[in-house]
Amino acid sequence: GWVDARSRNMPSRISSPDEPRSDFSSSLAPRLGAATTRSDFRKLDAVAPEVLRRIQLVTEAFARRMSSSLSAYLRRYVDASPLSIEQLSFAEFLAKLTPPTCIRTLVLQRVDGTAVLELSPELAFAALEALLGSRRSTPEIPSRDLTEAEHSIVESALRILLLDLNEAWTPLAQMGFTLDRQSPPPDQALSATEGVVLTSFDVRIGDVSGQVNIATPSAVLKRLQKDITRDKDLGRSANEMHRERLMRLL
């Protein structure tokens, strides 16, 4: 199941909601839909700039799909936009997590890898209320963990999110994201020094805003570099799949 960051003694990302967020560029303009890409090529496992540019296209496509699919599934207005793409170590990613939060280990199908997804509690409880039939646009966000029963309900929305992620990646590389049913502790999913590419999204469900963060191993992306950078139509086939699935949700 889900793992609460507090149970793993993970450090806090920010100490106050009013403090500036050092993990994102000060030039970030999420309201304009601009994604910021950061690279540190001093690291041995740094991903090439062309790969990051293609990943940015994936994040934009994923955000559009997530907005429409979750709006249909939750019967709520959902708006998602890319915030940033950043290269860092897995330990640095864990250090950014703000307890309490929900994180899940993901299996990367067909490429023999593991990724980690973080869903902010604001989004988890907003999705829960919507799925339980609440009509409140601004639900109360309790300062507690989700129960196991609540986790099971929220997981249905997470599966929709992962379908959108897979569709966004399909034209680029044969890599699928699925929930890890073994559920290892997320802080043990990768080695602390392993490089990851962190893609972050701002998501609004009704009047509630939160974040979705996905950490994908740099080594996996480097193995897929030839596929990722090959000239191809990034939108057509994925758009067709998305339209078909969206009609099934409605």
Side-chain angles (χ1 to χ4, degrees):
W2 292 79
V3 176
D4 176 8
R6 291 179 297 185
S7 67
R8 307 299 305 176
N9 296 319
M10 295 178 184
S12 175
R13 173 169 52 197
I14 49 178
S15 59
S16 166
D18 298 324
E19 290 182 12
R21 297 165 68 174
S22 60
D23 51 324
F24 295 135
S25 169
S26 60
S27 62
L28 196 61
R31 289 187 177 86
L32 300 178
T36 297
T37 302
R38 272 177 156 182
S39 303
D40 182 357
F41 294 100
R42 292 172 298 178
K43 297 180 180 179
L44 294 178
D45 54 0
V47 174
E50 179 58 27
V51 173
L52 295 180
R53 282 192 288 269
R54 305 289 276 195
I55 291 174
Q56 180 167 335
L57 296 176
V58 171
T59 65
E60 293 166 356
F62 173 47
R64 291 192 299 270
R65 286 164 172 74
M66 181 168 34
S67 297
S68 58
S69 292
L70 288 184
S71 290
Y73 186 67
L74 299 177
R75 308 289 180 177
R76 289 282 195 279
Y77 171 73
V78 177
D79 181 62
S81 58
L83 282 177
S84 71
I85 303 171
E86 183 180 4
Q87 295 194 75
L88 67 171
S89 71
F90 186 58
E92 289 170 330
F93 163 67
L94 294 177
K96 292 177 180 291
L97 300 181
T98 304
T101 191
C102 296
I103 49 180
R104 277 298 296 264
T105 304
L106 307 176
V107 173
L108 299 179
Q109 295 179 317
R110 298 183 291 276
V111 294
D112 187 25
T114 299
V116 173
L117 178 145
E118 178 202 12
L119 179 71
S120 70
E122 295 87 356
L123 295 180
F125 280 106
L128 176 66
E129 289 235 350
L131 291 169
L132 292 177
S134 171
R135 297 187 176 184
R136 293 187 296 176
S137 61
T138 310
E140 180 182 353
I141 308 300
S143 56
R144 62 169 177 83
D145 301 338
L146 291 171
T147 65
E148 285 302 315
E150 290 170 339
H151 282 312
S152 298
I153 296 172
V154 172
E155 252 189 28
S156 65
L158 182 60
R159 284 193 290 269
I160 298 294
L161 184 152
L162 291 178
L163 285 173
D164 289 326
L165 182 61
N166 291 338
E167 287 179 3
W169 268 101
T170 294
L172 205 62
Q174 293 300 309
M175 178 171 66
F177 296 77
T178 61
L179 294 174
D180 190 342
R181 296 302 177 186
Q182 299 291 326
S183 298
D187 60 338
Q188 298 177 18
L190 300 167
S191 68
T193 58
E194 183 166 356
V196 298
V197 172
L198 175 62
T199 51
S200 300
F201 303 84
D202 178 68
V203 180
R204 177 177 291 273
I205 301 177
D207 294 332
V208 176
S209 292
Q211 284 188 33
V212 171
N213 296 300
I214 303 169
T216 306
S218 302
V220 170
L221 297 173
K222 290 177 70 176
R223 290 204 304 268
L224 295 172
Q225 180 169 335
K226 288 185 178 179
D227 288 337
I228 291 173
T229 56
R230 185 178 299 134
D231 288 337
K232 59 188 76 177
D233 184 349
L234 294 180
R236 184 180 174 188
S237 60
N239 282 336
E240 290 172 354
M241 289 188 296
H242 180 66
R243 282 194 295 270
E244 292 174 2
R245 187 166 61 79
L246 187 57
M247 292 303 296
R248 293 195 296 271
L249 288 173
L250 293 173

